[in-house]
Amino acid sequence: FQQGKARSVNVSAVDFARWFQETGLGEKKLCDLWLKIDIEGAEYLLVPHLLRSRILCSMTKITIEWHDYKPWMGPEFEKPWMKRIHDSFLEDLAAACPGRHIVYEDWI
């Protein structure tokens, strides 16, 4: 990478929920399982998927850096649907994982 010379690179994506299930991490007796999500705006697609799949219920701690309404992200990250996903996360997590105590940290 050279200053001022950005280029695109294609990379393969992994379905985290499927990978997590295939590896059996949720079934292992681990002390703690901490998921940190800092994926520059893609959390708005990933988090609803992880809630639906209930993968988040296997975690003991979840840290998410939300990229909505931050001045440096630009207007494409000022969408009301993004704010709804962010604002309802704890309620959605409780509904997806009833009875589970999961530590949540909003990374800023």
Side-chain angles (χ1 to χ4, degrees):
F1 179 79
Q2 294 178 8
Q3 186 73 6
K5 303 258 183 180
R7 64 184 183 121
S8 295
V9 176
N10 291 326
V11 296
S12 299
V14 173
D15 180 330
F16 179 78
R18 184 176 355 169
W19 173 85
F20 188 85
Q21 290 171 333
E22 288 173 357
T23 60
L25 281 173
E27 310 304 316
K28 297 182 189 296
K29 301 294 181 203
L30 303 171
C31 295
D32 288 299
L33 200 51
W34 178 9
L35 177 64
K36 182 174 189 300
I37 300 173
D38 181 2
I39 50 178
E40 308 309 311
E43 64 272 14
Y44 299 101
L45 301 175
L46 179 65
V47 167
H49 175 61
L50 297 179
L51 285 165
R52 282 190 305 274
S53 68
R54 299 180 39 88
I55 293 300
L56 296 180
C57 303
S58 298
M59 305 301 155
T60 51
K61 181 174 182 178
I62 300 168
T63 303
I64 303 175
E65 181 176 353
W66 299 97
H67 292 87
D68 59 341
Y69 293 88
K70 293 191 172 141
W72 63 88
M73 294 300 292
E76 63 273 11
F77 288 90
E78 296 177 2
K79 306 293 186 214
W81 65 270
M82 293 174 156
K83 186 164 177 33
R84 280 192 300 276
I85 290 171
H86 179 181
D87 291 349
S88 69
F89 177 70
L90 282 177
E91 183 179 315
D92 295 342
L93 182 64
C97 309
R100 291 272 299 132
H101 175 74
I102 302 168
V103 176
Y104 168 66
E105 180 179 38
D106 192 348
W107 189 264
I108 299 174

